[in-house]
Amino acid sequence: MEWLMNPWVIIVIVLSVVIGNLAALKATANMKFKHTQKTVTPQEKEEKSEQETTTQHKEDEKKDAQ
């Protein structure tokens, strides 16, 4: 049990855990996930259309002012 408490053995164990975790992270970091379309609720559709019409009115007012 005394050899397990040797500083060199502890250093090797810690390094192997850190290197193993980094290797696992590198292997899983490049995974490709399918991008799914976000479902839009009817309320969000209304809000978006209201924002677009408001923007169009502002642009039309600017053009008329010129």
Side-chain angles (χ1 to χ4, degrees), residues 23-55:
L25 181 63
K26 184 177 180 182
T28 59
N30 295 328
M31 296 178 76
K32 303 287 183 186
F33 293 102
K34 294 181 182 177
H35 294 286
T36 57
Q37 291 287 338
K38 180 182 174 185
T39 56
V40 181
T41 62
Q43 184 180 5
E44 290 175 340
K45 286 182 182 178
E46 290 176 11
E47 290 174 358
K48 187 175 180 181
S49 64
E50 288 175 5
Q51 289 175 351
E52 289 174 352
T53 55
T54 305
T55 306

mmCIF file of all heavy atoms in Angstrom, residues 23-55:
data_model
loop_
_atom_site.group_PDB
_atom_site.id
_atom_site.type_symbol
_atom_site.label_atom_id
_atom_site.label_comp_id
_atom_site.label_asym_id
_atom_site.label_seq_id
_atom_site.Cartn_x
_atom_site.Cartn_y
_atom_site.Cartn_z
ATOM 1 N N ALA A 23 -9.104 12.889 -24.283
ATOM 2 C CA ALA A 23 -9.288 12.055 -25.470
ATOM 3 C C ALA A 23 -10.771 11.764 -25.692
ATOM 4 O O ALA A 23 -11.251 11.800 -26.829
ATOM 5 C CB ALA A 23 -8.508 10.756 -25.315
ATOM 6 N N ALA A 24 -11.501 11.498 -24.621
ATOM 7 C CA ALA A 24 -12.939 11.247 -24.752
ATOM 8 C C ALA A 24 -13.659 12.501 -25.223
ATOM 9 O O ALA A 24 -14.566 12.433 -26.056
ATOM 10 C CB ALA A 24 -13.506 10.775 -23.418
ATOM 11 N N LEU A 25 -13.267 13.651 -24.718
ATOM 12 C CA LEU A 25 -13.881 14.904 -25.132
ATOM 13 C C LEU A 25 -13.606 15.182 -26.604
ATOM 14 O O LEU A 25 -14.496 15.600 -27.344
ATOM 15 C CB LEU A 25 -13.355 16.058 -24.269
ATOM 16 C CG LEU A 25 -13.922 17.438 -24.558
ATOM 17 C CD1 LEU A 25 -15.415 17.452 -24.288
ATOM 18 C CD2 LEU A 25 -13.226 18.478 -23.728
ATOM 19 N N LYS A 26 -12.393 14.934 -27.036
ATOM 20 C CA LYS A 26 -12.048 15.151 -28.440
ATOM 21 C C LYS A 26 -12.839 14.218 -29.348
ATOM 22 O O LYS A 26 -13.277 14.618 -30.426
ATOM 23 C CB LYS A 26 -10.550 14.934 -28.655
ATOM 24 C CG LYS A 26 -10.105 15.221 -30.054
ATOM 25 C CD LYS A 26 -8.612 15.060 -30.220
ATOM 26 C CE LYS A 26 -8.224 15.352 -31.654
ATOM 27 N NZ LYS A 26 -6.803 15.179 -31.884
ATOM 28 N N ALA A 27 -13.053 12.990 -28.919
ATOM 29 C CA ALA A 27 -13.782 12.026 -29.736
ATOM 30 C C ALA A 27 -15.262 12.393 -29.836
ATOM 31 O O ALA A 27 -15.889 12.164 -30.866
ATOM 32 C CB ALA A 27 -13.628 10.628 -29.152
ATOM 33 N N THR A 28 -15.828 12.956 -28.787
ATOM 34 C CA THR A 28 -17.255 13.265 -28.798
ATOM 35 C C THR A 28 -17.549 14.687 -29.258
ATOM 36 O O THR A 28 -18.695 14.996 -29.566
ATOM 37 C CB THR A 28 -17.863 13.066 -27.399
ATOM 38 O OG1 THR A 28 -17.185 13.922 -26.472
ATOM 39 C CG2 THR A 28 -17.746 11.629 -26.968
ATOM 40 N N ALA A 29 -16.548 15.541 -29.339
ATOM 41 C CA ALA A 29 -16.797 16.943 -29.694
ATOM 42 C C ALA A 29 -17.151 17.104 -31.159
ATOM 43 O O ALA A 29 -17.791 18.083 -31.535
ATOM 44 C CB ALA A 29 -15.573 17.794 -29.366
ATOM 45 N N ASN A 30 -16.773 16.172 -32.013
ATOM 46 C CA ASN A 30 -17.015 16.304 -33.449
ATOM 47 C C ASN A 30 -18.270 15.581 -33.907
ATOM 48 O O ASN A 30 -18.442 15.334 -35.092
ATOM 49 C CB ASN A 30 -15.803 15.779 -34.232
ATOM 50 C CG ASN A 30 -14.582 16.622 -33.990
ATOM 51 O OD1 ASN A 30 -14.696 17.816 -33.782
ATOM 52 N ND2 ASN A 30 -13.421 16.005 -33.987
ATOM 53 N N MET A 31 -19.145 15.249 -32.987
ATOM 54 C CA MET A 31 -20.371 14.550 -33.367
ATOM 55 C C MET A 31 -21.294 15.498 -34.116
ATOM 56 O O MET A 31 -21.413 16.672 -33.769
ATOM 57 C CB MET A 31 -21.071 14.006 -32.126
ATOM 58 C CG MET A 31 -20.266 12.957 -31.401
ATOM 59 S SD MET A 31 -21.075 12.368 -29.934
ATOM 60 C CE MET A 31 -22.307 11.322 -30.653
ATOM 61 N N LYS A 32 -21.927 14.996 -35.154
ATOM 62 C CA LYS A 32 -22.844 15.802 -35.958
ATOM 63 C C LYS A 32 -24.266 15.543 -35.496
ATOM 64 O O LYS A 32 -24.684 14.396 -35.352
ATOM 65 C CB LYS A 32 -22.729 15.435 -37.446
ATOM 66 C CG LYS A 32 -21.333 15.593 -38.001
ATOM 67 C CD LYS A 32 -20.974 17.034 -38.160
ATOM 68 C CE LYS A 32 -19.589 17.147 -38.782
ATOM 69 N NZ LYS A 32 -19.096 18.459 -38.845
ATOM 70 N N PHE A 33 -24.995 16.594 -35.262
ATOM 71 C CA PHE A 33 -26.383 16.488 -34.865
ATOM 72 C C PHE A 33 -27.254 17.058 -35.967
ATOM 73 O O PHE A 33 -26.902 18.058 -36.594
ATOM 74 C CB PHE A 33 -26.647 17.239 -33.564
ATOM 75 C CG PHE A 33 -25.957 16.631 -32.376
ATOM 76 C CD1 PHE A 33 -24.803 17.191 -31.873
ATOM 77 C CD2 PHE A 33 -26.458 15.492 -31.786
ATOM 78 C CE1 PHE A 33 -24.163 16.635 -30.780
ATOM 79 C CE2 PHE A 33 -25.823 14.927 -30.700
ATOM 80 C CZ PHE A 33 -24.676 15.493 -30.188
ATOM 81 N N LYS A 34 -28.386 16.437 -36.198
ATOM 82 C CA LYS A 34 -29.311 16.945 -37.198
ATOM 83 C C LYS A 34 -29.981 18.195 -36.661
ATOM 84 O O LYS A 34 -30.411 18.241 -35.517
ATOM 85 C CB LYS A 34 -30.375 15.902 -37.516
ATOM 86 C CG LYS A 34 -29.826 14.672 -38.181
ATOM 87 C CD LYS A 34 -30.935 13.692 -38.477
ATOM 88 C CE LYS A 34 -30.377 12.428 -39.093
ATOM 89 N NZ LYS A 34 -31.424 11.435 -39.327
ATOM 90 N N HIS A 35 -30.041 19.220 -37.496
ATOM 91 C CA HIS A 35 -30.711 20.444 -37.112
ATOM 92 C C HIS A 35 -32.189 20.293 -37.432
ATOM 93 O O HIS A 35 -32.575 20.058 -38.568
ATOM 94 C CB HIS A 35 -30.126 21.646 -37.852
ATOM 95 C CG HIS A 35 -28.708 21.924 -37.474
ATOM 96 N ND1 HIS A 35 -28.359 22.482 -36.264
ATOM 97 C CD2 HIS A 35 -27.556 21.703 -38.121
ATOM 98 C CE1 HIS A 35 -27.050 22.596 -36.205
ATOM 99 N NE2 HIS A 35 -26.533 22.122 -37.324
ATOM 100 N N THR A 36 -33.000 20.451 -36.417
ATOM 101 C CA THR A 36 -34.429 20.336 -36.630
ATOM 102 C C THR A 36 -35.040 21.726 -36.712
ATOM 103 O O THR A 36 -34.555 22.671 -36.079
ATOM 104 C CB THR A 36 -35.104 19.559 -35.489
ATOM 105 O OG1 THR A 36 -34.808 20.222 -34.249
ATOM 106 C CG2 THR A 36 -34.574 18.130 -35.422
ATOM 107 N N GLN A 37 -36.074 21.840 -37.498
ATOM 108 C CA GLN A 37 -36.772 23.114 -37.619
ATOM 109 C C GLN A 37 -37.534 23.394 -36.333
ATOM 110 O O GLN A 37 -38.177 22.505 -35.781
ATOM 111 C CB GLN A 37 -37.750 23.076 -38.796
ATOM 112 C CG GLN A 37 -37.068 23.030 -40.139
ATOM 113 C CD GLN A 37 -36.459 24.373 -40.494
ATOM 114 O OE1 GLN A 37 -36.863 25.410 -39.981
ATOM 115 N NE2 GLN A 37 -35.485 24.350 -41.385
ATOM 116 N N LYS A 38 -37.449 24.587 -35.871
ATOM 117 C CA LYS A 38 -38.187 24.978 -34.688
ATOM 118 C C LYS A 38 -39.659 25.148 -35.081
ATOM 119 O O LYS A 38 -39.973 25.826 -36.047
ATOM 120 C CB LYS A 38 -37.650 26.302 -34.138
ATOM 121 C CG LYS A 38 -38.358 26.772 -32.902
ATOM 122 C CD LYS A 38 -37.815 28.106 -32.440
ATOM 123 C CE LYS A 38 -38.636 28.622 -31.280
ATOM 124 N NZ LYS A 38 -38.220 29.956 -30.882
ATOM 125 N N THR A 39 -40.529 24.529 -34.310
ATOM 126 C CA THR A 39 -41.948 24.666 -34.616
ATOM 127 C C THR A 39 -42.416 26.049 -34.174
ATOM 128 O O THR A 39 -42.090 26.516 -33.089
ATOM 129 C CB THR A 39 -42.781 23.589 -33.901
ATOM 130 O OG1 THR A 39 -42.521 23.670 -32.493
ATOM 131 C CG2 THR A 39 -42.408 22.199 -34.397
ATOM 132 N N VAL A 40 -43.166 26.697 -35.041
ATOM 133 C CA VAL A 40 -43.628 28.049 -34.774
ATOM 134 C C VAL A 40 -45.109 27.988 -34.415
ATOM 135 O O VAL A 40 -45.920 27.431 -35.151
ATOM 136 C CB VAL A 40 -43.424 28.950 -36.010
ATOM 137 C CG1 VAL A 40 -43.888 30.366 -35.729
ATOM 138 C CG2 VAL A 40 -41.962 28.946 -36.415
ATOM 139 N N THR A 41 -45.422 28.554 -33.265
ATOM 140 C CA THR A 41 -46.812 28.569 -32.833
ATOM 141 C C THR A 41 -47.564 29.653 -33.604
ATOM 142 O O THR A 41 -46.960 30.611 -34.103
ATOM 143 C CB THR A 41 -46.916 28.852 -31.328
ATOM 144 O OG1 THR A 41 -46.366 30.139 -31.058
ATOM 145 C CG2 THR A 41 -46.163 27.797 -30.515
ATOM 146 N N PRO A 42 -48.885 29.543 -33.710
ATOM 147 C CA PRO A 42 -49.657 30.579 -34.413
ATOM 148 C C PRO A 42 -49.450 31.973 -33.815
ATOM 149 O O PRO A 42 -49.427 32.965 -34.529
ATOM 150 C CB PRO A 42 -51.097 30.119 -34.238
ATOM 151 C CG PRO A 42 -51.010 28.652 -34.024
ATOM 152 C CD PRO A 42 -49.713 28.419 -33.308
ATOM 153 N N GLN A 43 -49.282 32.029 -32.497
ATOM 154 C CA GLN A 43 -49.060 33.332 -31.860
ATOM 155 C C GLN A 43 -47.744 33.942 -32.332
ATOM 156 O O GLN A 43 -47.657 35.134 -32.607
ATOM 157 C CB GLN A 43 -49.045 33.173 -30.338
ATOM 158 C CG GLN A 43 -48.905 34.501 -29.605
ATOM 159 C CD GLN A 43 -48.883 34.319 -28.096
ATOM 160 O OE1 GLN A 43 -48.878 33.197 -27.613
ATOM 161 N NE2 GLN A 43 -48.872 35.408 -27.374
ATOM 162 N N GLU A 44 -46.700 33.125 -32.447
ATOM 163 C CA GLU A 44 -45.408 33.627 -32.921
ATOM 164 C C GLU A 44 -45.502 34.083 -34.370
ATOM 165 O O GLU A 44 -44.861 35.046 -34.767
ATOM 166 C CB GLU A 44 -44.335 32.549 -32.766
ATOM 167 C CG GLU A 44 -43.965 32.262 -31.323
ATOM 168 C CD GLU A 44 -42.991 31.113 -31.186
ATOM 169 O OE1 GLU A 44 -42.888 30.297 -32.130
ATOM 170 O OE2 GLU A 44 -42.337 31.018 -30.143
ATOM 171 N N LYS A 45 -46.309 33.383 -35.180
ATOM 172 C CA LYS A 45 -46.500 33.790 -36.573
ATOM 173 C C LYS A 45 -47.135 35.171 -36.640
ATOM 174 O O LYS A 45 -46.736 36.020 -37.434
ATOM 175 C CB LYS A 45 -47.383 32.784 -37.310
ATOM 176 C CG LYS A 45 -46.701 31.493 -37.645
ATOM 177 C CD LYS A 45 -47.637 30.585 -38.414
ATOM 178 C CE LYS A 45 -46.996 29.257 -38.730
ATOM 179 N NZ LYS A 45 -47.920 28.348 -39.434
ATOM 180 N N GLU A 46 -48.140 35.401 -35.789
ATOM 181 C CA GLU A 46 -48.811 36.706 -35.773
ATOM 182 C C GLU A 46 -47.847 37.805 -35.361
ATOM 183 O O GLU A 46 -47.809 38.876 -35.962
ATOM 184 C CB GLU A 46 -49.998 36.666 -34.815
ATOM 185 C CG GLU A 46 -51.151 35.819 -35.294
ATOM 186 C CD GLU A 46 -52.265 35.732 -34.267
ATOM 187 O OE1 GLU A 46 -52.224 36.494 -33.281
ATOM 188 O OE2 GLU A 46 -53.169 34.909 -34.458
ATOM 189 N N GLU A 47 -47.054 37.537 -34.327
ATOM 190 C CA GLU A 47 -46.099 38.541 -33.855
ATOM 191 C C GLU A 47 -45.079 38.860 -34.951
ATOM 192 O O GLU A 47 -44.731 40.024 -35.156
ATOM 193 C CB GLU A 47 -45.391 38.039 -32.603
ATOM 194 C CG GLU A 47 -46.281 37.966 -31.377
ATOM 195 C CD GLU A 47 -45.587 37.331 -30.184
ATOM 196 O OE1 GLU A 47 -44.409 36.916 -30.328
ATOM 197 O OE2 GLU A 47 -46.212 37.246 -29.127
ATOM 198 N N LYS A 48 -44.614 37.844 -35.642
ATOM 199 C CA LYS A 48 -43.630 38.064 -36.698
ATOM 200 C C LYS A 48 -44.226 38.882 -37.838
ATOM 201 O O LYS A 48 -43.598 39.806 -38.346
ATOM 202 C CB LYS A 48 -43.121 36.722 -37.221
ATOM 203 C CG LYS A 48 -41.985 36.857 -38.200
ATOM 204 C CD LYS A 48 -41.442 35.507 -38.605
ATOM 205 C CE LYS A 48 -40.296 35.674 -39.587
ATOM 206 N NZ LYS A 48 -39.755 34.386 -40.021
ATOM 207 N N SER A 49 -45.464 38.562 -38.221
ATOM 208 C CA SER A 49 -46.086 39.304 -39.316
ATOM 209 C C SER A 49 -46.351 40.745 -38.897
ATOM 210 O O SER A 49 -46.223 41.671 -39.695
ATOM 211 C CB SER A 49 -47.378 38.619 -39.753
ATOM 212 O OG SER A 49 -48.327 38.636 -38.711
ATOM 213 N N GLU A 50 -46.710 40.965 -37.629
ATOM 214 C CA GLU A 50 -46.908 42.334 -37.136
ATOM 215 C C GLU A 50 -45.608 43.120 -37.187
ATOM 216 O O GLU A 50 -45.591 44.294 -37.559
ATOM 217 C CB GLU A 50 -47.452 42.306 -35.709
ATOM 218 C CG GLU A 50 -48.901 41.865 -35.610
ATOM 219 C CD GLU A 50 -49.359 41.738 -34.169
ATOM 220 O OE1 GLU A 50 -48.588 42.077 -33.256
ATOM 221 O OE2 GLU A 50 -50.501 41.293 -33.956
ATOM 222 N N GLN A 51 -44.504 42.486 -36.806
ATOM 223 C CA GLN A 51 -43.211 43.161 -36.839
ATOM 224 C C GLN A 51 -42.827 43.509 -38.279
ATOM 225 O O GLN A 51 -42.291 44.581 -38.547
ATOM 226 C CB GLN A 51 -42.127 42.275 -36.212
ATOM 227 C CG GLN A 51 -42.253 42.143 -34.715
ATOM 228 C CD GLN A 51 -41.238 41.167 -34.138
ATOM 229 O OE1 GLN A 51 -40.550 40.473 -34.883
ATOM 230 N NE2 GLN A 51 -41.160 41.098 -32.830
ATOM 231 N N GLU A 52 -43.098 42.602 -39.208
ATOM 232 C CA GLU A 52 -42.753 42.863 -40.608
ATOM 233 C C GLU A 52 -43.582 44.015 -41.169
ATOM 234 O O GLU A 52 -43.048 44.883 -41.873
ATOM 235 C CB GLU A 52 -42.977 41.596 -41.442
ATOM 236 C CG GLU A 52 -41.964 40.510 -41.170
ATOM 237 C CD GLU A 52 -42.288 39.221 -41.903
ATOM 238 O OE1 GLU A 52 -43.375 39.127 -42.508
ATOM 239 O OE2 GLU A 52 -41.455 38.312 -41.865
ATOM 240 N N THR A 53 -44.873 44.060 -40.848
ATOM 241 C CA THR A 53 -45.710 45.144 -41.364
ATOM 242 C C THR A 53 -45.312 46.473 -40.739
ATOM 243 O O THR A 53 -45.310 47.497 -41.417
ATOM 244 C CB THR A 53 -47.205 44.865 -41.103
ATOM 245 O OG1 THR A 53 -47.409 44.633 -39.705
ATOM 246 C CG2 THR A 53 -47.680 43.659 -41.892
ATOM 247 N N THR A 54 -44.951 46.465 -39.470
ATOM 248 C CA THR A 54 -44.502 47.691 -38.816
ATOM 249 C C THR A 54 -43.227 48.199 -39.474
ATOM 250 O O THR A 54 -43.074 49.391 -39.735
ATOM 251 C CB THR A 54 -44.256 47.440 -37.313
ATOM 252 O OG1 THR A 54 -45.438 46.899 -36.728
ATOM 253 C CG2 THR A 54 -43.878 48.720 -36.599
ATOM 254 N N THR A 55 -42.319 47.300 -39.780
ATOM 255 C CA THR A 55 -41.065 47.681 -40.430
ATOM 256 C C THR A 55 -41.336 48.235 -41.823
ATOM 257 O O THR A 55 -40.734 49.239 -42.233
ATOM 258 C CB THR A 55 -40.129 46.457 -40.521
ATOM 259 O OG1 THR A 55 -39.958 45.900 -39.220
ATOM 260 C CG2 THR A 55 -38.776 46.843 -41.073
#
